[in-house]
Amino acid sequence: MSESQQHAEAPRTPAKRGGGDPATRGRTTIADGVVEKIAGLAARDVIGVHAMGSGFARTLGAVRDRVPGGGRSATQGVKAEVGEVQTALDLEIVVVYGVAIADVARSVRENVISAVERMTGLEVVEVNIAVSDVKLPDEADEEEEAEPRLQ
């Protein structure tokens, strides 16, 4: 058998393309708004959280809900700073009267960190929580107050 026949009959190894792990080929960026939505929804899931944002922001949100296509903002009361591998969050919440605020804040922090890290892969370095109000049992919601009395 000639040397050229030996080379032709030898199994060929496919040429490796690109090189390295596919996960390292390119960048993924996550917008601040994406992290804010995830955090806002995770915070709202905690028992004892009545609403997100300050009274003024909630009033504007109630008006926005009445406008066709306005919809409720999942980012209300949430501010995120997103880097390449880490994020920091500031949340403003309204708690229900009678709950232990420290326990609610701890639960919000745990739920937000878990959701953001699981969904984005970013490390959450801090979650600052500001309790801006307490919802009393006899208080009407801002959404109800925004409704006109006469129709």
Side-chain angles (χ1 to χ4, degrees), residues 5-138:
Q5 288 176 333
Q6 286 177 348
H7 287 292
E9 294 172 9
R12 295 187 127 208
T13 307
K16 198 171 190 180
R17 296 186 182 166
D21 178 21
T24 62
R25 297 185 206 172
R27 286 180 35 181
T28 301
T29 57
I30 300 171
D32 292 3
V34 171
V35 175
E36 289 169 354
K37 280 185 181 182
I38 294 167
L41 293 171
R44 284 176 179 83
D45 281 345
V46 174
I47 294 172
V49 174
H50 172 70
M52 301 288 295
S54 66
F56 181 70
R58 291 191 325 272
T59 300
L60 285 179
V63 171
R64 185 180 51 244
D65 289 347
R66 305 267 181 286
V67 176
R72 180 171 296 249
S73 173
T75 62
Q76 183 174 305
V78 183
K79 178 68 181 134
E81 291 179 38
V82 180
E84 287 189 31
V85 295
Q86 295 179 324
T87 185
L89 295 149
D90 294 321
L91 282 74
E92 190 171 0
I93 66 173
V94 176
V95 297
V96 176
Y97 176 79
V99 300
I101 293 174
D103 292 344
V104 171
R106 185 180 313 102
S107 294
V108 166
R109 206 171 266 114
E110 289 171 356
N111 211 34
V112 166
I113 290 169
S114 174
V116 170
E117 287 185 347
R118 179 179 51 81
M119 293 180 70
T120 66
L122 295 168
E123 176 192 7
V124 178
V125 293
E126 67 180 8
V127 177
N128 299 310
I129 298 173
V131 179
S132 62
D133 202 357
V134 174
K135 166 69 171 76
L136 300 175
D138 57 346

